[in-house]
């Protein structure tokens, strides 16, 4: 039985869905932006794909570490910390001046991924799984990257973007 009021439960669910959408877009939009990413950090497209592998490695490393390290911590606090790490990793990715920095930032962005979904489900009280509409914003993020550049898409994740065209 949930101790949340219906309004608080709806707000929590909305926050968790937005977090899930942000994480999903971060994971998938990169595949559609590889040419722009490669151009932005002056590497080949196959080399730019390292950013996808780095994110996946972050997910694999982060999930068990968070599960072990945060098992006794308040779940809402864990979610906030996960989203702060996620936001900082994405900010670093958006500002990365070169390929190695971008790869490291993508690794950091991936660390909270797996744990977020597990903890989010528990916060709602375990009575229902929490899944956000992950695929819908991806074309928007790819379009932002094609119209402006990968930095715009990586920093906005398809929700909001600055209306100016930039190139490195």
């Amino acid at each position: 039985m949930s101790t949340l009021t219906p309004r608080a439960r709806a707000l929590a669910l909305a926050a968790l869905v937005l977090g899930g959408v942000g994480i999903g877009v971060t994971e998938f939009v990169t595949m559609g932006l590889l040419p722009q990413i490669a151009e932005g950090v002056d590497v080949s497209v196959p080399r730019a794909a390292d950013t996808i592998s780095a994110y996946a490695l972050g997910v694999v490393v982060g999930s068990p570490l968070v599960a072990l390290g945060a098992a006794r911590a308040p779940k809402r606090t864990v979610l906030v910390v996960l989203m702060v790490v996620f936001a900082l990793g994405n900010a670093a990715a958006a500002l990365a001046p070169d390929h190695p920095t971008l790869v490291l930032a993508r690794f950091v962005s991936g660390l909270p991924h797996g744990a977020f979904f597990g903890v989010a489900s528990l916060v709602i009280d375990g009575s229902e799984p929490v899944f956000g509409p992950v695929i819908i914003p991806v074309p928007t993020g790819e379009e932002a990257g094609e119209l402006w550049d990968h930095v715009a898409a990586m920093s906005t994740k398809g929700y909001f973007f600055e209306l100016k065209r930039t190139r490195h």
Side-chain angles (χ1 to χ4, degrees), residues 85-109:
V85 171
F86 175 75
L88 290 173
N90 281 305
L95 299 172
D98 54 33
H99 182 256
T101 305
L102 179 57
V103 169
L104 178 61
R106 291 283 295 159
F107 174 80
V108 171
S109 296

Side-chain angles (χ1 to χ4, degrees), residues 72-100:
R72 298 190 191 278
K75 292 172 192 70
R76 290 184 183 124
T77 302
V78 172
L79 285 174
V80 169
V81 170
L82 289 172
M83 291 314 292
V84 167
V85 171
F86 175 75
L88 290 173
N90 281 305
L95 299 172
D98 54 33
H99 182 256

Side-chain angles (χ1 to χ4, degrees), residues 35-70:
Q36 292 86 357
I37 291 169
E39 181 183 328
V41 293
D42 197 30
V43 296
S44 67
V45 171
R47 183 84 175 158
D50 291 348
T51 60
I52 295 170
S53 299
Y55 187 89
L57 185 60
V59 173
V60 170
V61 170
S63 295
L65 289 179
V66 172
L68 291 172

Side-chain angles (χ1 to χ4, degrees), residues 12-13 15-17 20 116-117 119-125 128-132:
L13 183 60
L16 296 174
V17 167
F116 177 85
F117 291 107
V119 176
S121 294
L122 296 173
V123 165
I124 291 297
D125 80 3
E128 58 191 64
V130 178
F131 298 104

